[in-house]
Amino acid sequence: MQYAQSNEKTLTTLMGRFNYMVLLQTLKSMSDSALSSPLYKSWSYWQKVHRDYLLWQNAKQVLENFADGKSPVVICAHYAHLDKISSIHFNEVVTLGQYLSKAYGDSYCHIGILLDQGKAGSMGDQGKYKLGYEELQLPVKGSLEYLASQTNQECFYKPGNIITKIPLMIRRLGSNSSVYQFIPAYFPGSMDGFIYIRNSTPSFKL
C-alpha cells in the first residue's frame, strides 16, 4: 500500500487512472481483511472487519469517483446486506445498506428481489466457491417469499415498507453448510419495496 501510494504518478502512467484506483482499493481491502477472524484482537473489532465494511469501502470508491451524481446507481447484493437495519443473522454488525443510508439519506432506496422457485445465481454450497446456479427451495411459511406467493401473481412490484415486530424467515444461498435455505433472521421494515418473481429462470450461463 505504501509503495503504491508513494509511486502514484508512475503507476497511473503504466496502468491508467481507473486501474490504479482499483489497485489501491484492493490493497486496502486486503489490509483490512488481515484483521479478520481469527486474528482480530477482540469482538469489538468484528464490526470493523466484517465484509459489509469492505463492501461499503468498494461501493464508496465507485460512487465518489465514477458516478456523475445525477444518474441512478444500482448495487446488486443479497437483501440482508442492503438492509437499513441489522438482521439477527448479522448479530448487529453494520450492513452495507446502513452505510449507504447514513451517507445518502433518502437518496438511498432498498428494493428487494424475492424469488419463489426455479434457480438463482450462487457462489456454490458446502464450501465450494464456484459461481453457478442453485435450485431454489419452495418458500416456507413465515417468509416474505411465502407471503408474496399467496397473491397467485406471477410477478409484481410492491412499494413501501412492510413493518413487523417478529423476525421473518430469510432465504440464504451459497457458501453455507445448511441444507435449509430459510433461517429466522429478518426484519423487513428496512425495505422500500420489493419485486416478486414466482418462477426464476436464468437468462445467461454462469
Side-chain angles (χ1 to χ4, degrees), residues 11-28:
L11 291 174
T12 300
T13 301
L14 292 172
M15 307 171 64
R17 185 65 183 171
F18 176 81
N19 288 331
Y20 173 72
M21 292 179 64
V22 171
L23 172 64
L24 278 186
Q25 185 58 33
T26 301
L27 292 173
K28 185 178 186 305

Side-chain angles (χ1 to χ4, degrees), residues 19-152:
N19 288 331
Y20 173 72
M21 292 179 64
V22 171
L23 172 64
L24 278 186
Q25 185 58 33
T26 301
L27 292 173
K28 185 178 186 305
S29 294
M30 291 174 65
S31 62
D32 284 343
S33 298
L35 296 174
S36 63
S37 175
L39 301 178
Y40 57 84
K41 299 177 183 179
S42 69
W43 283 109
S44 63
Y45 281 76
W46 177 235
Q47 177 174 320
K48 300 177 182 178
V49 301
H50 192 275
R51 62 177 176 165
D52 273 57
Y53 167 76
L54 304 181
L55 290 173
W56 161 238
Q57 292 300 311
N58 291 333
K60 183 180 178 183
Q61 177 188 250
V62 173
L63 291 167
E64 290 181 350
N65 295 284
F66 301 104
D68 60 15
K70 299 178 181 179
S71 304
V73 176
V74 178
I75 298 175
C76 184
H78 191 283
Y79 53 74
H81 291 291
L82 295 173
D83 275 353
K84 294 180 178 179
I85 56 176
S86 288
S87 67
I88 295 174
H89 179 59
F90 271 58
N91 195 27
E92 298 184 357
V93 165
V94 178
T95 63
L96 169 61
Q98 286 177 285
Y99 286 114
L100 291 167
S101 183
K102 183 178 180 179
Y104 298 100
D106 292 338
S107 295
Y108 170 60
C109 294
H110 175 202
I111 307 299
I113 298 179
L114 309 180
L115 305 178
D116 191 306
Q117 54 190 306
K119 293 183 178 181
S122 168
M123 285 297 292
D125 56 6
Q126 307 296 324
K128 299 175 182 177
Y129 293 90
K130 183 178 180 181
L131 190 62
Y133 288 105
E134 188 170 346
E135 199 75 32
L136 296 172
Q137 296 176 5
L138 289 174
V140 299
K141 289 184 177 180
S143 66
L144 277 178
E145 288 84 351
Y146 178 82
L147 293 175
S149 71
Q150 301 306 295
T151 63
N152 294 320

Side-chain angles (χ1 to χ4, degrees), residues 114 116-117 145 147-158 196-199:
L114 309 180
D116 191 306
Q117 54 190 306
E145 288 84 351
L147 293 175
S149 71
Q150 301 306 295
T151 63
N152 294 320
Q153 297 183 50
E154 288 301 308
C155 58
F156 64 88
Y157 169 67
K158 176 176 174 51
Y196 169 75
I197 301 173
R198 186 174 297 278
N199 293 292

